[in-house]
Amino acid sequence: MTTFARTALVVVVVLILLLGLLWVFQRRLIYLPDRAPPPPAAEVIPGARDVSFTTRDGVRLSGWYVPGAREDVTVLVMGGNAGNRLHRAPLARALAAHGLPVLLMDYRGYGGNPGSPTEEGLLLDAQAAREAVNTPRVIYFGESLGAAVATGLALRQPPDGLVLRSPFTDLAAAGQANYPFLPVRALLRDRFPVAQGVGRVAAPVVVVYGTGDTIVPPGLSRSVAEAARATTVEVTGAGHNDLVLLNGRELIGSVVELAGRVRGKG
């Protein structure tokens, strides 16, 4: 065997090993939970309370309920792939200040909850949270990966309104944008499709994204908005994790405006 052939063989073996490791450990790269239990809800947001609900596969989950002045439209918040409900407290606080009750759910494996996250697991978690909402109307709010969860839930249990913050068309597209040198689509086990299903959501849809987003490129969010025939709110210069996309004026205003439309239909 020539030196070139031996070198090529070593490179191929190393690549196969690396791809195998990526296949085995991919969920550790996708899901980045803060597993620590947050403090009691009332210590973070006055008047808020701790709630719990059980999924159809028997996982007991914890969340926070933040009451609003008008108990007619609840905003069910499905977070992104990182952190836990404590990190979404500014969002809940801002929405409650406009009279909207908020349910901040945490997925399995997040915020002190048992279990490990998977695509189907997150959908079951969101479904359990939805069943815990008892107001006449509900708006689903999904952030990044949570936008895929919210869309999946909307196809199973239709909401009265749907807000998708920084959505991707599917997880592979977002992964390919961040890791262009890897065969992301071929490796992924969890797919999280958004664009292919969101057009079947009958409720009004709002898509909010930042033009400076380098994690979920704005073009992916625009494609989702087009597929959904959604109202689009573009936040100029905002990056994926900027505060303006958590509790900024444009974001909060879009949810409040949608809630008004939802109430008007009643």
Side-chain angles (χ1 to χ4, degrees):
M1 183 179 290
T2 66
T3 300
F4 175 79
R6 285 196 297 269
T7 302
L9 179 61
V10 169
V11 170
V12 169
V13 170
V14 169
L15 284 174
I16 291 172
L17 287 173
L18 286 174
L19 292 174
L21 288 171
L22 285 170
W23 169 259
V24 172
F25 295 108
Q26 62 181 268
R27 284 182 172 142
R28 295 190 183 183
L29 300 175
I30 295 169
Y31 306 106
L32 305 172
D34 184 339
R35 297 182 180 274
E43 291 185 8
V44 180
I45 304 174
R49 63 178 183 268
D50 297 288
V51 295
S52 60
F53 33 87
T54 302
T55 66
R56 295 184 182 185
D57 61 342
V59 181
R60 187 73 171 170
L61 301 174
S62 298
W64 289 349
Y65 180 76
V66 183
R70 298 183 62 173
E71 297 286 328
D72 56 349
V73 181
T74 294
V75 181
L76 171 57
V77 175
M78 286 156 262
N81 69 318
N84 61 34
R85 60 190 180 274
L86 179 61
H87 302 93
R88 279 95 197 172
L91 170 64
R93 193 180 292 114
L95 291 173
H98 284 84
L100 290 169
V102 180
L103 177 55
L104 289 177
M105 63 164 294
D106 261 332
Y107 308 120
R108 60 191 66 201
Y110 288 71
N113 287 333
S116 298
T118 64
E119 180 177 5
E120 180 59 24
L122 267 58
L123 279 168
L124 289 173
D125 299 343
Q127 203 164 1
R130 170 65 185 92
E131 291 165 359
V133 175
N134 55 18
T135 52
R137 300 176 184 85
V138 59
I139 291 172
Y140 298 166
F141 180 104
E143 167 204 319
S144 192
L145 183 122
V149 178
T151 301
L153 179 62
L155 294 172
R156 295 184 181 189
Q157 292 182 254
D160 297 281
L162 177 64
V163 179
L164 304 178
R165 199 280 265 178
S166 308
F168 45 68
T169 50
D170 64 8
L171 184 59
Q176 201 68 67
N178 287 276
Y179 304 101
F181 49 87
L182 292 175
V184 174
R185 194 168 295 278
L187 289 171
L188 278 179
R189 283 181 281 179
D190 293 346
R191 298 288 174 167
F192 289 104
V194 179
Q196 75 177 43
V198 73
R200 302 198 305 273
V201 176
V205 180
V206 177
V207 171
V208 184
Y209 64 91
T211 62
D213 197 328
T214 58
I215 295 175
V216 177
L220 297 183
S221 295
R222 293 189 192 106
S223 294
V224 171
E226 183 178 347
R229 301 176 300 278
T231 300
T232 302
V233 178
E234 184 178 273
V235 184
T236 303
H240 194 76
N241 294 313
D242 286 357
L243 191 61
V244 71
L245 288 179
L246 180 65
N247 64 350
R249 176 180 55 82
E250 296 99 327
L251 177 72
I252 300 304
S254 69
V255 182
V256 171
E257 190 274 335
L258 179 59
R261 280 196 274 159
V262 166
R263 289 189 182 108
K265 288 186 176 182

